Each structure stands twice: as C-alpha cells, then as structure tokens.
C-alpha cells in the first residue's frame, strides 16, 4: 500500500543517514552500528458482540506484532507466531527463540528487548538473549 511505501521510504532514508554518519563517541563506527528502528503495528480489535446488543463497536487489545530492524539483533526471522485457530499472536522462549504457544509477550518484554539490544540497563529489564546479538 502507499502508506507502507512511505513508511519504508522514510526508514530507508533514516538508515542510510545513520550508516553514513560517524559515531563521535566510538571511532570508526557509524551511528547505525548502535541503532535500532522500531516499527509498531496497530492494536488488535475485538469483534465480540455483547449479549443482547444489536449494535456495538470494537474493543482494542495489544495482540499484535512489531518489526525491529537493527544490526544489534538476530534478524531475518519471525519470533513467535499466530495461532490459526484463534488468530491471536503468541510469544517465544526468551533464551532459545523457539515459538511458544503458551507464551504471551507484553509491553515489558518489548521494552526489555529494545533496551537489551541498546545496552540500556534499568531495574527489572527483561533480557532477550534469543533476539539480541551477543
């Protein structure tokens, strides 16, 4: 779609800029070598009609996916998956990266993965060794 074309064109421009900009705090590296681009997706929608209601809206939930692009992560793969029976996403084992249908990843997991990749410590950070390059 034209929306994604614009988003990806902007991301491509940003990544090109980061790759050509030297990191002043780390000689002989570019800013891209220490960066991560996060592409969030829209929230999910609930389509369950309340009992005895003819009209209803849709509720929101955070069952969705994200795209992370960075030289700091182990890329070129999908982590987790989508259950074909429920169409809901499921998570993955933080150590191995193997899909885990019994796991639900929450905001703290995503924040922890980004912080781990960027080496930004904070109390309670949830590390993701399966996702982050060593």
């Amino acid at each position: 779609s034209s929306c994604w074309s614009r988003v990806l064109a902007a991301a491509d421009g940003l990544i090109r800029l980061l790759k050509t900009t030297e990191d002043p705090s780390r000689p002989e590296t570019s800013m891209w070598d220490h960066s991560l681009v996060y592409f969030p997706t829209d929230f999910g929608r609930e389509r369950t009609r309340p009992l005895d209601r003819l009209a209803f809206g849709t509720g929101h939930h955070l069952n969705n996916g994200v795209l992370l692009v960075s030289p700091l992560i182990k890329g070129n793969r999908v982590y987790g998956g989508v259950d074909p029976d429920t169409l809901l996403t499921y998570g993955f084992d933080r150590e191995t990266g193997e899909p885990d249908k019994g796991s639900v990843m929450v905001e703290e997991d995503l924040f922890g993965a980004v912080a781990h990749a960027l080496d930004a410590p904070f109390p309670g950070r949830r590390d993701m060794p399966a996702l982050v390059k060593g």
Side-chain angles (χ1 to χ4, degrees), residues 34 36 70 72-73 112-120 125 131-133:
H34 316 287
L36 182 143
S70 173
L72 303 172
I73 61 171
V114 170
H116 183 191
L118 296 173
D119 197 25
R125 182 179 88 178
L131 180 70
V132 177
K133 287 183 179 176

Side-chain angles (χ1 to χ4, degrees), residues 6-21:
R6 290 184 196 145
V7 168
L8 294 175
D12 182 58
L14 173 62
I15 292 169
R16 286 174 191 255
L17 174 66
L18 291 168
K19 283 182 174 182
T20 59
T21 303

Side-chain angles (χ1 to χ4, degrees), residues 18 21-34:
L18 291 168
T21 303
E22 186 175 317
D23 184 340
S25 66
R26 300 174 188 168
E28 300 187 31
T29 65
S30 72
M31 293 297 286
W32 175 243
D33 296 328
H34 316 287

